[in-house]
Amino acid sequence: MKYLIRSLKYLLYFVVIFFLCLVIVSVFSHQSLANIPALFKEGSMLPICLIFLGVAALYPALGYRKGRLNLDGEWKEYRSAVVETMEGAGYQLVSEDDNKMVWRSTRALIRLTRMWEDTITFERQENDPYLVLVDGPSRDTFRIVGAVYYNYRMSHPQSEE
């Protein structure tokens, strides 16, 4: 269901951007808005609509992913690194329980451009206590997982043997 909602949100997002571009072209070419259909070749609206539907259907699969945070210690030790990383990245903790932390961006522009799909979730796995799945936008998930590892290593230096 989450996938379908994301697809519909992005379809709406792409359609709004498309119409804004048409209005801008119309204004700068000094044409009336009623003359917008003249900008397109006859029969081109169906392929344009199909492209929008295809991109909106594929974007959630490419734009969101689950990353893996493999712990080499207890979750309690990693929690402070997660909090430091997420607060440094401009996120605030929305909810937390024993197995799950949910973060949202504090920046309104980020939330708007991502259609309010900016949530990053850290979910501990019951069957593997050393695995945490990080679910969110692909561009953030990679960066956040790497930053958590880095912050953890900086706060827990390993002694050379």
Side-chain angles (χ1 to χ4, degrees):
M1 189 62 163
K2 185 188 267 189
Y3 190 90
L4 178 64
I5 291 170
R6 282 181 178 161
S7 291
L8 292 175
K9 280 183 176 181
Y10 278 102
L11 178 62
L12 177 67
Y13 185 66
F14 296 142
V15 168
V16 167
I17 289 175
F18 177 71
F19 282 113
L20 284 175
C21 290
L22 288 178
V23 168
I24 290 170
V25 167
S26 177
V27 167
F28 283 116
S29 64
H30 304 292
Q31 295 181 2
S32 72
L33 294 177
N35 202 17
I36 285 179
L39 295 173
F40 299 99
K41 186 174 165 183
E42 187 175 327
S44 64
M45 289 310 284
L46 180 62
I48 290 172
C49 291
L50 292 175
I51 289 171
F52 279 10
L53 286 172
V55 170
L58 288 175
Y59 189 78
L62 302 173
Y64 296 89
R65 67 177 292 275
K66 286 189 179 192
R68 298 169 60 95
L69 185 62
N70 295 307
L71 311 179
D72 60 350
E74 293 294 320
W75 170 249
K76 294 173 188 170
E77 297 172 4
Y78 273 86
R79 186 188 178 284
S80 61
V82 169
V83 170
E84 177 186 347
T85 301
M86 295 305 289
E87 288 177 349
Y91 285 82
Q92 69 180 15
L93 185 61
V94 174
S95 67
E96 180 178 14
D97 60 27
D98 291 339
N99 292 326
K100 191 173 185 181
M101 296 175 81
V102 179
W103 297 83
R104 302 245 22 185
S105 179
T106 57
R107 294 178 232 150
L109 184 60
I110 296 284
R111 297 186 78 195
L112 175 68
T113 58
R114 295 183 184 169
M115 300 294 292
W116 288 269
E117 294 286 342
D118 61 323
T119 304
I120 296 180
T121 305
F122 290 80
E123 189 167 4
R124 293 174 49 207
Q125 301 303 294
E126 304 237 349
N127 57 352
D128 185 358
Y130 297 105
L131 175 64
V132 176
L133 292 180
V134 182
D135 185 23
S138 295
R139 61 188 134 208
D140 291 339
T141 305
F142 283 122
R143 183 174 50 88
I144 294 294
V145 168
V148 168
Y149 282 135
Y150 177 80
N151 287 334
Y152 177 77
R153 283 192 313 269
M154 290 297 111
S155 64
H156 294 82
Q158 302 290 326
S159 61
E160 290 188 28
E161 296 176 21

